[in-house]
Amino acid sequence: MKVKSEEIKKLRYFEKTKEKNSKLIKNTDEVEEYHVKLKPHSKWTKKKLEIKDSKPQKVIVKKKNSGKSPISLKNLEKHSRGDGISGKGVKHPLYAAKLQKKELKYRFAQNQAARADILLTENAGYLEVDEDHRTTCITQKEIVKNVDITAATKTFNLNLDFGPYRAKYSKNGRHLLLGSKKGHLAAFDWVTKKLHCEINVMESIHDVSWLHVETMIAAAQKEWLYIYDNTGMELHCMKKMDKILRMEFLPYHFLLAAVNEYGFMSWLDISIGEIAGHYNNHLGRTSVMTHNPYNATICLGNSQGVVSMWSPTVKKPLAKILCHKTPLSAIAVDQKGTYMATTGVDKSLKIWDIRNMDGPLQHYRLRSSAVDLDFSQKDMLAVGLGEVVEIYSDTCTKTADKPYLRHKMAKSICNFKFCPYEDVLGIGNSGGFTSILVPGSGEPNFDAYESNPYQNKAQRKEAEVKALLEKIPADLIALDPFEVVKVDVPTLQDKLEAKTELPHVRRKKIDVKAKRKNKGLTNIARKKIIKDKARKDQIMESIKTRATSNETKDGQKPSKSFGVLDRFVSKPKPNK
Amino acid sequence: MSDFQEQEIVSAEHDHLVSAIIKLDKTQHITEPTRNEPTNLSSEFNLIKSSNKLDLSKVVSALKDSAHHTTITKKLKSLDQGQVLPKPLEKPQAERIKRSTGYDATKEKVAKWDPVVARNRTVDFVSFPLHSVSKREHPTKVILSNLKSKSPLEKELDEIDPPAEVEEESKEEQSFPMTYEEMLEHRKEMAKLRAQQSYKAAKAKRQSKIKSKKYHRILKKERLKQQLKEFEELQEKNPEEALKKLEELEKARALERHTLRHKNTGKWAKNKLVRAKYDKEVRQQLAEQLAVSRGLTHKTQHSESTDDEADENEMLPDMTLAQDPLNPWMMKGLNKSNVDTDFDFGYKKFIKEKVLKHTEDSDSEENDETVCDLSSLKKKNYMLGSVRNHVHEQSSHSKIEHESKLSSPLGISKKKPMEKNNAKVTFMKQDRNIKKPIATSKWTVDIIKPNDSTESGEIKVAEVFDTFETKVAKQVEIKINKLRKNIKRLERSSKTPKVVKKKGGKGKNISNMESLMFKNKNPKPIIDEELIETNLKAPEDIPEMTKTYTKIIKYPSALAAHSNNNSNIDPSQFIEVKPKYLNTAIPSCENILDELDDDEQIVPKIDIEEVFEEDDVVASFRQEKQNEIDNDIPKEIDLQLPGWGSWGGIGVKAPKRKRNRFISKNIPKMPRRDENKGDIIINELKLPKLKAHKVSELPFPFTKVSDFEASVRAPLGNTFIPEIAHKKLIRPNVITKAGTIIEPMDEEQLLIKRNQSFKNEKILKLLSKQ
């Protein structure tokens, strides 16, 4: 097996020559020998080997690519589900360990969700102007000039002859539904402008609504509620729901909520075709209605300036807010259900915190009373004033000075809606329908599981089934949507008490304190701020009054002097 | 000759007599045949039947101690000694020992699986089969792809630096179930086990044979001491554990109470009872027994307070007895005894006693009177409630003896037996707890106090023991006291022990009185007093406690909310949001001329709408809110109805007594959410349909509502969280690979590192308990 060293030196290792090999073999007499390196194929050994190999390199590797990128705290906070289990509530060590593991999984889910935010690549639109200019001045024409062609096609105007139109977008923002006072009902894909159907129902249409999919339309006609499919075929005539003024569709509950002329409210479960709730609200005729996406309650505004919130299972309002002293003209609730905007005939616009039932946070005075209000997905507020639509970008948290955009039309506004996932505002007016561009109004990133604007037929069917499976029962509609996950403490206490009365049962010790939500300032902190502010004001006022009183005192003395005759002036008795 | 004849006659007579006497015994005696002359023949009639066994000791003795045979004698002696094997234990006992050792061994064997089991229980999921490495042969392609001929460079390198030769693993097939080492180990283990077993057996046997009561007493005491020591240590180290132990003690006490051992109901006690009437000693023993029971059943908490009292009481009678000038017996006795006991010790005392006894026996008739006198005197003494010292007692008797000797030639009839030392500790307890156990029975039981070593200057071995024991007892007592103090400190609560004690005392007195009132038909020494059921949790207190508990449970939220209410502010009073005048566009139809520049602030103008603003809207809304609030307040419900003989109908007022009785009290007002929120009404309605969906009972591992709510706070669905997290969250606990045979765990699992490194002590402990 020996080869001369010279030979080896001469030979480069890649210069394989058959002769040499054969020579080698010959040298080894009969036995053939192969120097074989065994590649380990076991999972574990391989790993170990790799680690061994990479040990000196490890540091470098880490520097190059130190694993996953860190997640920003802000993102994490956004996906937080609240605090986990803390303390020694669970005494069984096995279950405590298991719950800890579960907690880790929740954290993993949170991290993953925060990480997935990287995939939200789209940015919201915006308007950029010079310093001495305002976005208010920018007209639609200018916007259209400066945007790309596909965006430009999103502004359009439909001149239709059948009186004031009401318009609504489907949940994914792809389809538009128009219903006119004179019976014109049209549904179409507004992006491609492909018409699904167009009919005249030969009756007045008070309101229209998409149902859970774009193949079904509900129209509140003069007498009854009709349901059509996307070809204009009449599917149902709901005679249980008559003379409806306004409708709202609650997509997660599959409920079509409506209020009629006589103040009857009804919730129609469209998945089973049954009425989930039907009662009179005793508010009289009101056509100011919206729904709160946060908790699926219906907000009704009445002529007394009171906004009331309704659930199908309770025949009393869950809450009432006195918003204006005059009749209400419009209500809008933002996507997260935090803020509510109301306008009354008194030309004022108020913003309320309806999650905490507090307010008003903002109070604006308009120069004319608003016809309609709507919040966009990015919390822009559109205010319809007769023939003008003004869009305010940040009205809730800050006090807005001036509108973000203003659009004037020659036709009086009937209603408008922001298109979901698009920077578009669709306005139904007396002369048809107008679609305008509002940069930055829509959510740029959509969740295709949630609502997909580019959905095909199969996906739609799939989504429909899934949505039906995840349907929330109407019973769960309450002011606090997280009521379901809370423990029914009073019943629990009753049960515990009943058990304590039993003779040979050991008393269970249960801490009934509910989970604390750490969101924003605590009630106490908020109240402290309020108090401080009030005290400051009071002090300021007292200073002012003191100053004025001093002045008056100074002024009073000489005015009252009559010289010698002062003695005859009756002196006021000193107060005790 | 005559003498000889006479002698013969006498001897004959004697023989006759002997034979006659022997004949009285009618059993046939076969005399042992003895060889009286040496013969070479051994006939069958001459054989010695009884034992043809060679008695080695006799042989050895035959060898005597000639120096010649020392080695042989030693050998023989050793043989003789080592030969006899101990008698094997009785079967049940042996079995028990076998079982116990077997249990220990198995426990150890099973315990090694604990970490594996614990880990499998806690881990997220277990996937079966456990062997992840598939035993399936790889296809030849794969194997071949793994084989690579060495490159020339490698060969070169090998030339320069030859790699370490890999030792070829010997592929011996294991035909044996165990290797040699294993076998050895196994054998060793078995041997160890056997040794342990035999050792334990021997020990048990040895211990069971010890009859000495003293030994057992000492053993018991030692155990007690050890326990106390351990307890103290535990208290220092781990107070929680100590508390637990204390609870155990308490449990033992409860058990004692429950079973009523150490009472007068046992067989032994009944036997004693028969004798108790006549024998004072027996009476004392019974009293002791009862004292033991009392000591065991007595609750430990308030014993300290009773201690002081008992001490005082203990001191008093002694004093009076010792220095009572009216009691000549005692006075003299005390003095005498000191003198007497000084000289009465050792064998002298013994002889003296013996002599006395002898004289007494011989002259019992004459003794009677004095005995009577003495007994009556004694009785008097008992009635005084004397608690006498052992020495006093003895001395008094000895003094009596002397006196009787002087007055009459006869001594005393009875001797006081030696006091039993073992009762000392219990006696002390008894002294503390009961002052007069006589009260409930006809009989008098006087407690004989243990020897005071200081008084008697004698130095006896027994007394040395006594003093030692008293010392031990005292130490124990001190320790117990310490313990009790600690316990007390731990369980100090609102109830003052004094009051409780008083109650207990009262109860006792009453019971005593009652027992006095009834006539006992068959008298028994029921010295037992009523159990002093005086703990911190007196029965009267318990319902109150529960009440408070329920109260607390009922309105925790209310209380919390009330505390919040203190800062009673109406934000609407403070924050009047000033309206911001927006420069909005004005619809063309209204007023085109009115349009202004954007910058200009609009001066508010009075509008018709504002003028006709309905002010009563606010008022009516507030009224509505007030109504709502009023409606929400729970009202008193009048449940009273006119009864017999009373007027009914409208306008009839029920008597106050009835009203108070039948009007259900209102529930305290719950604070409303909208209390400080201005013109907002929030109806906190109870939604019955929603309630049906809510959880109304906390599932098992949770004890806090907040914890349970936290555990269900996060969604699991893939529409809410990323797919990976969703998959992770819904993964089943046990994953089985389809189509594979799942074999039970083998010992390989013990060697896996992740199983070995499982270190959650709590879980291990929990699982090993099961």
Side-chain angles (χ1 to χ4, degrees):
Chain A
M1 249 207 56
K2 275 185 183 175
V3 188
K4 279 177 187 175
S5 59
E6 293 162 23
E7 272 184 28
I8 289 168
K9 271 173 193 170
K10 273 180 200 168
L11 271 171
R12 300 290 300 278
Y13 70 90
F14 49 80
E15 284 173 1
K16 279 185 193 169
T17 46
K18 263 203 170 176
E19 300 98 73
K20 296 293 166 201
N21 257 340
S22 60
K23 258 187 187 175
L24 281 172
I25 293 159
K26 272 171 191 171
N27 283 345
T28 57
D29 301 323
E30 295 93 19
V31 184
E32 268 189 50
E33 254 187 54
Y34 290 98
H35 292 275
V36 172
K37 201 171 81 182
L38 212 131
K39 210 176 171 187
H41 52 79
S42 162
K43 202 170 130 193
W44 297 104
T45 48
K46 201 176 186 180
K47 260 198 178 172
K48 270 182 190 171
L49 279 175
E50 270 173 14
I51 288 161
K52 267 183 192 169
D53 290 344
S54 62
K55 250 185 188 171
Q57 290 179 1
K58 220 177 186 179
V59 183
I60 305 158
V61 168
K62 260 202 171 177
K63 272 182 187 172
K64 260 186 190 173
N65 181 20
S66 56
K68 288 168 182 172
S69 62
I71 313 159
S72 72
L73 277 176
K74 204 180 165 188
N75 255 354
L76 268 182
E77 184 61 34
K78 196 173 94 184
H79 294 283
S80 160
R81 303 279 177 187
D83 291 335
I85 295 161
S86 58
K88 288 176 181 174
V90 179
K91 272 168 191 136
H92 199 289
L94 194 64
Y95 287 91
K98 276 186 177 176
L99 283 170
Q100 259 181 1
K101 289 224 161 131
K102 206 178 178 191
E103 212 45 60
L104 286 179
K105 280 181 193 168
Y106 284 148
R107 202 172 298 161
F108 173 74
Q110 184 191 351
N111 285 343
Q112 281 293 312
R115 247 176 229 302
D117 277 359
I118 298 161
L119 302 173
L120 309 178
T121 49
E122 300 291 325
N123 296 317
Y126 54 91
L127 282 176
E128 221 174 41
V129 287
D130 299 335
E131 275 186 23
D132 50 344
H133 284 83
R134 288 199 183 82
T135 50
T136 320
C137 308
I138 297 168
T139 58
Q140 284 297 311
K141 267 184 190 174
E142 280 170 70
I143 293 170
V144 169
K145 254 186 219 168
N146 287 299
V147 294
D148 58 303
I149 204 163
T150 45
T153 56
K154 285 169 186 171
T155 60
F156 59 93
N157 199 12
L158 298 176
N159 288 319
L160 305 164
D161 301 330
F162 295 95
Y165 277 85
R166 283 185 73 80
K168 268 181 188 173
Y169 288 101
S170 61
K171 198 187 153 203
N172 58 10
R174 186 63 186 235
H175 305 276
L176 181 66
L177 181 64
L178 295 174
S180 84
K181 198 84 186 167
K182 288 173 187 163
H184 181 206
L185 182 72
F188 63 106
D189 181 343
W190 69 271
V191 180
T192 56
K193 313 289 187 302
K194 189 192 152 208
L195 190 69
H196 295 320
C197 72
E198 190 178 22
I199 50 167
N200 199 319
V201 296
M202 307 304 284
E203 263 182 340
S204 62
I205 294 176
H206 297 280
D207 204 357
V208 286
S209 178
W210 289 105
L211 297 189
H212 61 289
V213 281
E214 64 262 21
T215 54
M216 287 217 256
I217 303 157
Q221 295 176 17
K222 189 190 168 193
E223 277 299 321
W224 298 303
L225 176 83
Y226 288 85
I227 289 168
Y228 301 96
D229 73 350
N230 61 342
T231 58
M233 182 88 79
E234 187 188 310
L235 297 177
H236 298 288
C237 169
M238 304 298 300
K239 290 198 177 176
K240 279 178 187 172
M241 297 167 88
D242 62 332
K243 307 226 167 173
I244 278 159
L245 286 178
R246 287 284 174 268
M247 287 191 303
E248 284 287 338
F249 182 66
L250 311 172
Y252 300 105
H253 300 75
F254 285 83
L255 288 177
L256 186 67
V259 62
N260 81 353
E261 271 189 357
Y262 313 111
F264 269 96
M265 303 191 70
S266 39
W267 282 262
L268 173 70
D269 190 333
I270 61 147
S271 62
I272 51 173
E274 274 178 12
I275 301 277
H278 181 73
Y279 54 83
N280 197 341
N281 58 23
H282 301 293
L283 292 176
R285 184 193 160 97
T286 175
S287 63
V288 183
M289 177 184 178
T290 189
H291 86 275
N292 184 347
Y294 174 61
N295 54 17
T297 52
I298 294 295
C299 300
L300 275 182
N302 72 350
S303 60
Q304 309 280 308
V306 176
V307 173
S308 44
M309 287 154 200
W310 302 85
S311 132
T313 50
V314 189
K315 294 191 177 176
K316 278 173 81 182
L318 299 172
K320 275 180 170 183
I321 309 173
L322 179 64
C323 294
H324 299 267
K325 291 171 184 177
T326 55
L328 284 171
S329 56
I331 316 172
V333 179
D334 84 326
Q335 292 296 309
K336 289 170 189 164
T338 323
Y339 303 111
M340 175 174 75
T342 58
T343 57
V345 185
D346 60 351
K347 296 181 185 174
S348 65
L349 165 68
K350 286 179 183 172
I351 308 288
W352 304 82
D353 177 2
I354 50 163
R355 191 174 291 189
N356 292 327
M357 289 289 166
D358 225 340
L361 303 173
Q362 307 290 347
H363 185 188
Y364 300 103
R365 284 280 181 169
L366 310 169
R367 289 174 73 189
S368 62
S369 65
V371 181
D372 200 4
L373 289 172
D374 194 30
F375 273 106
S376 84
Q377 282 177 322
K378 286 284 182 185
D379 276 357
M380 282 187 180
L381 180 66
V383 183
L385 305 152
E387 292 155 356
V388 186
V389 183
E390 284 186 344
I391 295 130
Y392 294 86
S393 64
D394 200 359
T395 44
C396 304
T397 48
K398 286 183 254 169
T399 312
D401 284 332
K402 48 190 174 287
Y404 171 66
L405 269 184
R406 181 180 288 160
H407 182 68
K408 284 182 193 175
M409 294 179 296
K411 307 143 209 170
S412 63
I413 292 162
C414 182
N415 91 322
F416 47 73
K417 289 280 176 217
F418 278 104
C419 179
Y421 310 108
E422 294 280 359
D423 289 348
V424 165
L425 178 72
I427 308 161
N429 50 44
S430 59
F433 176 80
T434 310
S435 171
I436 62 167
L437 285 176
V438 184
S441 69
E443 173 66 49
N445 298 296
F446 62 87
D447 180 357
Y449 278 126
E450 169 66 21
S451 53
N452 185 3
Y454 307 105
Q455 198 171 48
N456 59 27
K457 203 173 170 183
Q459 282 170 338
R460 189 186 69 213
K461 282 178 178 170
E462 173 93 14
E464 190 180 1
V465 172
K466 279 198 170 163
L468 273 169
L469 288 173
E470 284 175 2
K471 179 188 150 188
I472 306 168
D475 303 341
L476 303 188
I477 298 176
L479 273 188
D480 182 8
F482 295 105
E483 194 72 33
V484 211
V485 286
K486 286 177 188 164
V487 173
D488 187 5
V489 173
T491 318
L492 175 66
Q493 280 170 351
D494 288 347
K495 281 184 182 174
L496 281 180
E497 261 177 61
K499 265 190 188 169
T500 55
E501 277 161 27
L502 289 175
H504 300 289
V505 178
R506 189 186 288 167
R507 188 188 300 148
K508 256 190 193 173
K509 274 183 190 170
I510 284 175
D511 182 8
V512 290
K513 247 180 225 165
K515 195 168 160 268
R516 209 172 78 91
K517 276 183 250 159
N518 275 336
K519 274 176 189 168
L521 286 171
T522 56
N523 209 21
I524 297 159
R526 223 179 61 227
K527 276 175 179 169
K528 206 182 173 187
I529 292 164
I530 291 165
K531 258 188 179 173
D532 281 352
K533 205 189 170 193
R535 193 180 294 145
K536 253 183 204 170
D537 289 349
Q538 216 173 359
I539 289 162
M540 291 300 287
E541 239 172 62
S542 67
I543 288 165
K544 256 186 201 173
T545 50
R546 203 173 289 167
T548 50
S549 68
N550 280 344
E551 278 173 26
T552 51
K553 267 181 188 174
D554 293 338
Q556 266 181 357
K557 274 179 184 174
S559 71
K560 271 186 181 176
S561 74
F562 296 101
V564 192
L565 297 171
D566 267 354
R567 68 188 72 170
F568 295 110
V569 176
S570 58
K571 281 172 191 172
K573 278 178 187 175
N575 286 327
K576 279 176 185 177
Chain B
M1 203 51 208
S2 64
D3 264 23
F4 181 76
Q5 265 188 343
E6 231 175 73
Q7 253 187 353
E8 271 228 318
I9 291 160
V10 168
S11 67
E13 268 181 1
H14 183 258
D15 282 349
H16 191 71
L17 181 72
V18 166
S19 64
I21 289 164
I22 286 165
K23 267 177 190 171
L24 281 175
D25 190 9
K26 279 181 182 170
T27 50
Q28 262 190 323
H29 289 282
I30 299 164
T31 51
E32 208 172 86
T34 48
R35 249 185 235 170
N36 27 23
E37 57 194 40
T39 51
N40 284 330
L41 290 167
S42 51
S43 77
E44 55 183 292
F45 307 107
N46 277 347
L47 275 179
I48 297 162
K49 265 185 196 171
S50 67
S51 73
N52 38 11
K53 207 178 177 187
L54 184 67
D55 195 355
L56 272 174
S57 58
K58 275 176 191 171
V59 176
V60 170
S61 64
L63 285 169
K64 287 285 172 176
D65 26 54
S66 56
H68 209 69
H69 307 292
T70 39
T71 46
I72 300 166
T73 32
K74 264 183 191 174
K75 243 184 201 175
L76 284 170
K77 267 181 183 174
S78 70
L79 256 177
D80 197 20
Q81 277 171 5
Q83 216 47 259
V84 182
L85 283 171
K87 192 184 157 198
L89 278 178
E90 274 175 41
K91 205 180 176 188
Q93 220 169 343
E95 294 258 284
R96 199 178 305 136
I97 284 158
K98 202 176 168 187
R99 261 181 275 138
S100 78
T101 46
Y103 171 75
D104 285 345
T106 336
K107 204 178 161 191
E108 210 170 88
K109 210 173 176 184
V110 171
K112 69 186 173 186
W113 285 97
D114 279 351
V116 180
V117 174
R119 196 192 154 270
N120 279 351
R121 291 253 176 113
T122 45
V123 93
D124 277 343
F125 66 97
V126 192
S127 69
F128 292 103
L130 286 164
H131 296 286
S132 55
V133 184
S134 59
K135 281 175 181 174
R136 192 180 46 167
E137 296 249 326
H138 290 281
T140 44
K141 257 189 187 179
V142 178
I143 293 164
L144 282 177
S145 71
N146 285 330
L147 301 171
K148 250 187 192 176
S149 62
K150 274 190 176 180
S151 64
L153 179 65
E154 280 172 326
K155 278 174 200 165
E156 261 179 70
L157 276 171
D158 281 355
E159 286 278 300
I160 295 155
D161 181 27
E165 277 191 23
V166 182
E167 284 175 67
E168 276 194 19
E169 284 180 49
S170 54
K171 283 183 182 176
E172 271 186 59
E173 280 216 2
Q174 285 193 330
S175 55
F176 307 108
M178 281 189 279
T179 61
Y180 177 65
E181 281 90 19
E182 272 179 335
M183 232 141 76
L184 275 184
E185 208 165 295
H186 185 71
R187 251 180 58 175
K188 246 186 215 171
E189 213 171 287
M190 289 303 287
K192 201 180 156 192
L193 204 76
R194 252 179 279 129
Q196 264 181 355
Q197 207 172 313
S198 66
Y199 167 72
K200 271 196 177 175
K203 199 181 173 187
K205 201 176 174 186
R206 188 156 40 79
Q207 278 183 346
S208 67
K209 272 205 174 162
I210 297 169
K211 277 179 184 167
S212 157
K213 276 183 182 172
K214 200 160 200 170
Y215 165 77
H216 283 294
R217 229 180 294 139
I218 287 163
L219 207 71
K220 212 176 183 180
K221 244 175 233 169
E222 263 174 12
R223 215 187 303 135
L224 197 82
K225 259 167 81 180
Q226 186 64 28
Q227 266 180 355
L228 266 173
K229 216 180 207 175
E230 273 173 14
F231 181 72
E232 262 169 25
E233 270 174 26
L234 207 66
Q235 211 173 20
E236 273 171 24
K237 276 183 205 164
N238 193 353
E240 273 180 42
E241 281 287 309
L243 257 182
K244 258 182 206 170
K245 196 144 198 197
L246 202 79
E247 261 171 45
E248 264 171 40
L249 284 175
E250 190 76 341
K251 213 176 253 175
R253 189 192 69 84
L255 208 73
E256 179 68 36
R257 277 192 58 192
H258 185 69
T259 53
L260 295 174
R261 279 176 66 207
H262 289 111
K263 282 267 157 117
N264 51 2
T265 49
K267 195 181 172 188
W268 173 85
K270 274 174 187 161
N271 280 338
K272 290 279 172 188
L273 265 179
V274 177
R275 290 176 61 203
K277 205 170 182 179
Y278 313 104
D279 197 347
K280 194 177 161 194
E281 188 192 340
V282 170
R283 245 173 284 159
Q284 276 165 6
Q285 277 174 353
L286 267 176
E288 247 170 63
Q289 182 73 359
L290 286 165
V292 166
S293 99
R294 209 164 297 112
L296 282 165
T297 53
H298 195 256
K299 277 211 172 183
T300 44
Q301 271 83 357
H302 49 272
S303 54
E304 206 192 38
S305 58
T306 52
D307 265 5
D308 303 340
E309 245 190 32
D311 283 339
E312 283 170 16
N313 290 326
E314 218 173 358
M315 290 307 291
L316 276 169
D318 256 16
M319 292 285 285
T320 50
L321 280 175
Q323 295 162 6
D324 195 6
L326 298 174
N327 195 342
W329 298 95
M330 291 316 296
M331 273 303 281
K332 277 177 189 174
L334 189 73
N335 296 335
K336 258 266 157 72
S337 77
N338 281 342
V339 181
D340 276 356
T341 44
D342 277 349
F343 295 100
D344 286 0
F345 69 90
Y347 79 96
K348 201 177 170 186
K349 194 180 173 186
F350 175 67
I351 289 164
K352 209 177 180 181
E353 275 174 19
K354 218 172 184 188
V355 168
L356 276 172
K357 217 165 201 176
H358 183 71
T359 49
E360 176 197 299
D361 280 343
S362 55
D363 306 38
S364 54
E365 301 110 76
E366 288 171 278
N367 205 10
D368 269 347
E369 281 182 16
T370 47
V371 168
C372 281
D373 281 354
L374 279 170
S375 61
S376 65
L377 272 171
K378 264 186 215 165
K379 261 184 187 167
K380 266 178 193 172
N381 275 351
Y382 300 149
M383 293 314 250
L384 279 167
S386 63
V387 179
R388 232 169 294 171
N389 227 325
H390 165 68
V391 180
H392 295 180
E393 192 88 1
Q394 258 214 330
S395 57
S396 70
H397 285 297
S398 56
K399 196 222 76 187
I400 291 161
E401 288 162 25
H402 284 280
E403 278 200 346
S404 55
K405 264 184 193 169
L406 288 172
S407 59
S408 63
L410 300 169
I412 198 158
S413 58
K414 280 176 188 173
K415 247 348 256 176
K416 275 285 125 190
M418 285 294 284
E419 210 272 324
K420 276 183 183 171
N421 292 324
N422 68 334
K424 242 171 247 171
V425 183
T426 50
F427 257 131
M428 295 201 165
K429 276 182 193 168
Q430 193 191 23
D431 288 351
R432 244 179 275 126
N433 299 332
I434 14 131
K435 285 141 257 165
K436 289 181 180 178
I438 330 141
T440 47
S441 69
K442 280 183 176 178
W443 300 338
T444 56
V445 177
D446 60 342
I447 295 135
I448 299 158
K449 280 213 78 183
N451 222 335
D452 258 13
S453 58
T454 49
E455 270 189 321
S456 63
E458 296 167 283
I459 305 144
K460 278 185 206 168
V461 183
E463 275 186 3
V464 165
F465 258 106
D466 283 354
T467 50
F468 175 70
E469 272 172 4
T470 47
K471 263 184 195 172
V472 167
K474 268 177 189 173
Q475 274 177 349
V476 168
E477 203 183 359
I478 287 159
K479 274 179 185 177
I480 286 167
N481 279 345
K482 242 189 212 171
L483 264 178
R484 277 168 186 164
K485 269 175 194 171
N486 286 332
I487 294 152
K488 218 181 176 187
R489 211 188 306 142
L490 281 168
E491 299 197 2
R492 192 163 287 160
S493 70
S494 58
K495 302 297 163 205
T496 53
K498 269 196 177 179
V499 175
V500 173
K501 199 187 72 203
K502 269 181 190 171
K503 272 178 195 170
K506 253 184 194 175
K508 189 177 74 184
N509 285 341
I510 289 161
S511 72
N512 286 348
M513 292 302 285
E514 276 174 357
S515 66
L516 280 172
M517 280 155 78
F518 292 107
K519 221 175 187 181
N520 278 353
K521 271 184 183 173
N522 33 342
K524 282 176 192 171
I526 309 159
I527 314 165
D528 185 27
E529 58 191 325
E530 206 174 280
L531 276 168
I532 305 166
E533 270 289 282
T534 49
N535 195 8
L536 303 175
K537 279 181 190 174
E540 308 91 45
D541 302 342
I542 290 159
E544 208 179 61
M545 291 273 283
T546 50
K547 264 181 218 165
T548 51
Y549 170 76
T550 50
K551 261 181 198 169
I552 288 160
I553 244 191
K554 214 165 188 179
Y555 315 107
S557 50
L559 287 168
H562 273 300
S563 62
N564 280 349
N565 271 5
N566 294 339
S567 52
N568 208 357
I569 14 163
D570 183 358
S572 66
Q573 284 176 358
F574 304 112
I575 301 185
E576 262 304 322
V577 184
K578 278 167 196 162
K580 163 85 181 170
Y581 289 93
L582 282 173
N583 185 18
T584 57
I586 287 169
S588 53
C589 58
E590 280 188 17
N591 205 345
I592 304 160
L593 298 170
D594 216 24
E595 253 185 85
L596 290 162
D597 283 338
D598 285 351
D599 289 331
E600 212 172 315
Q601 265 282 352
I602 306 297
V603 181
K605 282 179 196 170
I606 293 163
D607 260 305
I608 296 165
E609 281 93 350
E610 275 178 68
V611 170
F612 290 100
E613 209 169 62
E614 284 181 75
D615 259 351
D616 66 317
V617 165
V618 180
S620 67
F621 189 83
R622 287 194 179 148
Q623 184 57 46
E624 204 182 326
K625 184 175 180 178
Q626 194 53 50
N627 290 343
E628 204 71 51
I629 290 166
D630 292 343
N631 281 337
D632 215 35
I633 294 167
K635 283 172 191 94
E636 288 183 348
I637 306 163
D638 192 356
L639 295 169
Q640 63 103 7
L641 287 167
W644 287 114
S646 61
W647 288 98
I650 302 154
V652 175
K653 265 193 180 177
K656 203 176 179 182
R657 180 185 57 81
K658 244 186 184 180
R659 256 183 289 154
N660 288 340
R661 213 164 143 199
F662 287 114
I663 290 174
S664 69
K665 292 286 183 300
N666 54 344
I667 307 155
K669 192 186 134 199
M670 298 280 273
R672 288 174 64 89
R673 255 186 85 190
D674 56 7
E675 205 148 73
N676 295 321
K677 288 197 165 161
D679 294 330
I680 292 170
I681 303 170
I682 301 167
N683 284 323
E684 282 161 294
L685 302 160
K686 287 184 181 80
L687 311 172
K689 281 188 179 169
L690 176 57
K691 208 175 165 184
H693 293 274
K694 282 165 86 174
V695 175
S696 65
E697 223 164 333
L698 278 189
F700 156 60
F702 298 103
T703 53
K704 279 183 181 173
V705 168
S706 60
D707 276 356
F708 174 68
E709 282 176 2
S711 78
V712 295
R713 75 189 191 281
L716 309 177
N718 60 355
T719 50
F720 294 92
I721 56 172
E723 189 69 27
I724 308 168
H726 165 68
K727 284 264 169 69
K728 212 175 177 184
L729 274 163
I730 62 161
R731 186 162 42 198
N733 290 336
V734 177
I735 299 165
T736 49
K737 200 179 174 190
T740 51
I741 300 161
I742 294 164
E743 275 169 3
M745 253 184 224
D746 54 2
E747 301 213 326
E748 252 176 58
Q749 289 296 314
L750 295 172
L751 302 174
I752 293 170
K753 211 173 187 186
R754 59 165 189 266
N755 283 336
Q756 285 175 335
S757 61
F758 186 83
K759 286 278 148 49
N760 196 332
E761 283 301 323
K762 276 184 183 173
I763 295 171
L764 282 176
K765 204 176 162 188
L766 179 93
L767 290 176
S768 60
K769 244 187 225 173
Q770 286 171 352

